[in-house]
Amino acid sequence: MKLNKHYISNTILIQLAFVAIILIIFGLIMKNLLGFLPGFLGALCLYVLLLNPMQWLIKKKRWNKLATVILLMLISAILIIGPLSLLVQMLTNKVLVLLNDTAKIKADIHSMIEVLQSQFDIDVFSASNIEKLTQVGGKLIEKTLNASMDMTIQLGVAFLLLYFMLMNHYKLENWLYKNVPVRTNNLRQMNKDLKDLVISNAVGMPLTAFIQAIIAYIGYMIFGVNEAFTWFVLTIFAAMLPVVGAALIYVPLGLFLLAQGDTTN
């Protein structure tokens, strides 16, 4: 009795091999592109915010499209980078002032150590604590440098994508309406909901953070915090962070006052 054996042809095997290679390459590309996802999301948010002003300037004011896109990108870059550079400059100046007054730094540190040892029975100079502080300090410096580089790269990616999205917004929207497997009416509703969501977050979050910082600033002045305005600026940025928010500033500040012996405030 003869058995009928079915073999897969070489052509099909070659095709399957090519499909597998393509999927592997696609997976590697997507894995590496995930690192640029914040930049893409930033470009999408800026696109939603700048699209209507760009169309108004082009259609109503008859401005040149390229000039309009460049102007709007410059304004958005100033609004994003300006506050960050102000924060860095303010912190740098404060650090330099503190470094010039080494006697005050030593006195504050000595006072804090005495309070921790006398009231909380914490030996700051124990071997384990010094090792932990060294590890935390090293990790903090490393994370700060990595975050700075990553933010610079993400901003570059965001503005690069934003330029092409604004210059080709008609093609982009037509492509989406044509290729996304969703009904046109539903897609338009999703587009409207996305715009409302982006605008509410882009405007609502900074406004809420500013109001929280004003309330905190009043508290800083009432409770005698030194350099209250600097803490006010730091609170604005911290209030926009998820989960921790403004507590990232005023909780350590309260602990610092407590460590200095200022228990009343």
Side-chain angles (χ1 to χ4, degrees), residues 191-205:
N191 190 16
K192 181 180 179 300
D193 293 340
L194 176 63
K195 288 182 179 180
D196 294 339
L197 180 64
V198 170
I199 293 173
S200 64
N201 281 278
V203 177
M205 286 181 60

Side-chain angles (χ1 to χ4, degrees), residues 228-241:
F229 183 76
T230 302
W231 294 107
F232 162 70
V233 175
L234 292 174
T235 305
I236 294 176
F237 288 91
M240 290 186 283
L241 297 176

Side-chain angles (χ1 to χ4, degrees), residues 9 27 41 48 60 96 122 132 152 183 187 191 213 217 238 250:
S9 66
L41 295 177
V48 172
K60 299 293 184 181
L96 290 176
I122 298 176
K132 290 179 181 177
T152 304
R183 290 183 179 179
L187 194 60
N191 190 16
Y217 182 50
Y250 62 73

